[in-house]
Every structure is written in structure tokens, then in C-alpha cells.
Amino acid sequence: DRLKVERAGGALAGLPDVIAKALADRWSNVLVPLDRAGFEGEVVPAGAPYRFSYSLFDPAIDWTATFWKFDAASDPLTSPAAFTALLSTAPARTESLERLNFANARAFGDGWSDHVALSADGSFDLPGGKYVLSVTSDDGIRVWVDDRLVIENWNIHGPTEDHAPLSGGAHRIRLQYFQNTGAAALMVRIARAR
């Protein structure tokens, strides 16, 4: 894994900001150990080294996301067969995304704040080890990894985080999501297991 570290102008007088950019194509595993001298107000004596680090594991998933609008006739809870049929029609919108990170209803775009259906699929490759897939949803979510249903919270709910274990290696991921009305969220993350 390669990492480019840049030095930028500091937000505090005389202190540099450090910007770390992952150069890997498929995943980022960032650990930046830094030394710096203390400044007035800290418990660290002036001029003494202070060791700290920042760590981030952030694998990209190459998502293809397709969007539809549903109505009462294709409601995912009251008319599940019609909803499934809707997802087999031509989508209203298709996007290629590195991350699914919709923090609120407006994040889906103008005209997409309610009665949204989304289907997304992608692939990712993790180094050896144990991981946790975390999905925050508001409202319904279903997630399959390697064609196995690993998360199902298919109802109307506030922002809820669901988890599924993952192992290292190549994986395929697919999800279905619906946003009814009001607040919304859809965020997918992978973290190293603790």
C-alpha cells in the first residue's frame, strides 16, 4: 500500500497540517505516526517530542446504484411483489459510486427525498483478517454478501446501524433499500474487527 503525505499550512500559528492520501486502487489502510514539539498550554514540556498517530481503514467499494420512485401501488411493505417488479424495470437514475453515504433525505438529490427505492451492487477485496460490515439505514434495508442475506431490517425505522461479520478476500455485495418519508440515511462502511 502506498501513501502520499503532504504538508499544508497550519491552522494554528506555526503548526503544519498533514494530509494523507491513499494511493492504492482498491482499499486504504492508513497509519500516520507523527512527532511534534509541544506548544504553550499542553502538559508536554516545550520542545519535547510528542508521539501520536492516526489510523484509518477505508476500503472502497465500486458501487452501481440504481434508483426508482415507488407509490402506494408498489409500496415495499404493503405490496412487496409490486415493489420487486418495480426493481426489475428500467431505473429512473443510475450512478457509479465509490461509497454509499447518504446522511439525510436531501443527499439523494432534488426530488428524491421520499418514496425512494434503491438497489446497489458492488465488489471489494479485503486483505486477510476479520472485518465488520456496518450499514446505517432509515428506512428498510436488505444486504447480501456473496449471495447470502446478512442484514435484513425491512421496515420503517429511524437511523439504525446493523452489522455483519466479514473475512478477508474478494466479495460481492448487493443491497436493496427504501426511504419512505421524513428523515433518511443509507451509509455502508467496513471496519477491522476488534
Side-chain angles (χ1 to χ4, degrees):
D1 201 34
R2 298 178 312 144
L3 182 70
K4 178 180 180 182
V5 178
E6 297 176 356
R7 183 175 173 171
L12 297 173
L15 298 178
D17 292 333
V18 175
I19 301 167
K21 296 179 180 179
L23 300 178
D25 291 334
R26 302 295 299 156
W27 54 273
S28 300
N29 189 15
V30 178
L31 175 61
V32 181
L34 302 167
D35 288 320
R36 73 168 187 79
F39 62 94
E40 188 176 334
E42 285 189 308
V43 178
V44 177
Y50 178 74
R51 184 84 148 149
F52 64 98
S53 65
Y54 170 79
S55 180
L56 171 68
F57 178 77
D58 187 24
I61 299 173
D62 293 326
W63 291 102
T64 299
T66 49
F67 298 78
W68 297 262
K69 296 285 280 184
F70 66 86
D71 56 21
S74 56
D75 183 279
L77 298 177
T78 60
S79 302
F83 182 81
T84 300
L86 174 68
L87 299 185
S88 67
T89 65
R93 181 173 124 202
T94 301
E95 293 184 20
S96 295
L97 305 166
E98 280 190 12
R99 287 170 181 73
L100 290 182
N101 191 16
F102 299 96
N104 55 50
R106 283 200 265 163
F108 289 104
D110 290 340
W112 291 88
S113 60
D114 61 9
H115 298 103
V116 175
L118 183 148
S119 179
D121 64 328
S123 60
F124 57 96
D125 193 359
L126 299 172
K130 294 182 180 183
Y131 302 88
V132 176
L133 172 68
S134 297
V135 178
T136 302
S137 65
D138 175 353
D139 291 306
I141 188 73
R142 291 180 181 140
V143 181
W144 294 263
V145 174
D146 300 328
D147 299 319
R148 185 173 61 88
L149 184 65
V150 296
I151 294 173
E152 185 169 26
N153 193 353
W154 199 248
N155 55 54
I156 295 173
H157 55 266
T160 303
E161 189 169 303
D162 294 296
H163 304 278
L166 292 172
S167 60
H171 298 283
R172 291 179 325 280
I173 186 168
R174 179 172 62 96
L175 65 80
Q176 292 177 348
Y177 165 84
F178 75 88
Q179 154 58 9
N180 195 37
T181 61
L186 176 59
M187 293 176 278
V188 178
R189 293 169 309 284
I190 299 172
R192 291 186 186 278
R194 296 184 185 247

